[in-house]
Amino acid sequence: MSRIIAGIDIGGTKIAAAVASPDGRIIAKQTFPTEVEKGPHEILERAMNIVGELAREAPGDLTAVGVGCAGPLDVVRGLILSPPNLPGWDEFPLVELLKQRFGVPVVLENDANAAALGEQRFGAGRGFENLVYITISTGIGGGVIVDGRIVRGVGSGAGEVGHMTILPDGPVCGCGGRGCLETLCSGTAIARRAREAIGQGAQSVLSVYFSNGPEGITAARVAEAARSGDRFAGEIWSETIKYLALGIGNIIATLAPEAIIFGGGVAMAGEQLLAPLRQRLIEQVKMAPVKDIRLLQAGLGSESGLYGAIALVADARRDKA
Ligand SMILES: [Zn+2]
């Protein structure tokens, strides 16, 4: 019987699972909502049942499982350590439970690192050995790949690009710091900045959403209004690019990667985000060859992490060989 591997991507809103050939070709996959209120054991049980079903359909001998999960986590001990968006996952022994169920090796990685790897192997990052992946959605996460490998750093603390300080004394961040990139450029932050200004009387086509409840103003609507020529939304968007360029400029000055790949909801704006960002970076960064650094939209959409979970297994094999 042929060999198959499985990948699981666990996030706060959805979980994706797939079985694939050992070279990473997905054979079958399934996505379902996380239902965080059910707690880690019930959620994992469902994910394992789905992997079991997919493996039976494949068919083949399951030989390894790769998992990307929201952090913080301990990859050495295989534990999930209280992620803010997975309440109740405190020292949760994810790896041990998966090993018990399937009787195969299990590799764990944080979700942003997994997504970076997924893009490098199967997405927009193919052919690059040095890249940085940045996801801009409700928060901002990142993963760094140098010489084809994930950079983890001490305590797996590397790659937290959302928490670079951009504006000293800026808005308070969920991490406890101030003025982090995430507090200025995440989808949540873009919407918040627009709501605050409209609440103070700024004129915009977005005001119509505001009057039905401020939460009607989302980052996607700000982007759309900016595209349609709304001056206020255009200013919010430009300010976002300005802050983002500070963060990306620092990354370029430190790593000069071949590519920076943007995923997450805000990156769906594509060239509306990337074209002005490139322009600013060319003006701003002097010591690195910015023109040779590609700024790209993620190629795998919401599946970067799932492909990354599968790529983890291939990497673990290579490390052992
Ligand atoms: Zn922060």
Side-chain angles (χ1 to χ4, degrees), residues 215-261:
E215 61 285 350
I217 296 181
T218 61
R221 283 189 165 144
V222 172
E224 187 191 330
R227 270 198 305 277
S228 74
D230 183 72
R231 197 165 151 188
F232 167 78
E235 281 165 13
I236 294 281
W237 196 253
S238 299
E239 195 178 44
T240 306
I241 305 284
K242 180 183 80 179
Y243 292 135
L244 198 55
L246 289 172
I248 305 296
N250 291 340
I251 292 171
I252 290 176
T254 310
L255 293 169
E258 292 161 89
I260 301 180
I261 296 174

Side-chain angles (χ1 to χ4, degrees), residues 162-164 173-178 180-183:
H163 302 282
M164 291 184 285
C173 182
C175 75
R178 271 186 176 276
C180 295
L181 185 66
E182 177 169 299
T183 68

Side-chain angles (χ1 to χ4, degrees), residues 182-241:
E182 177 169 299
T183 68
L184 300 164
C185 299
S186 67
T188 314
I190 294 168
R192 188 200 69 237
R193 285 175 19 237
R195 286 172 199 159
E196 281 172 4
I198 288 175
Q200 287 164 9
Q203 293 302 304
S204 166
V205 295
L206 293 166
S207 308
V208 57
Y209 299 117
F210 189 84
S211 52
N212 295 329
E215 61 285 350
I217 296 181
T218 61
R221 283 189 165 144
V222 172
E224 187 191 330
R227 270 198 305 277
S228 74
D230 183 72
R231 197 165 151 188
F232 167 78
E235 281 165 13
I236 294 281
W237 196 253
S238 299
E239 195 178 44
T240 306
I241 305 284

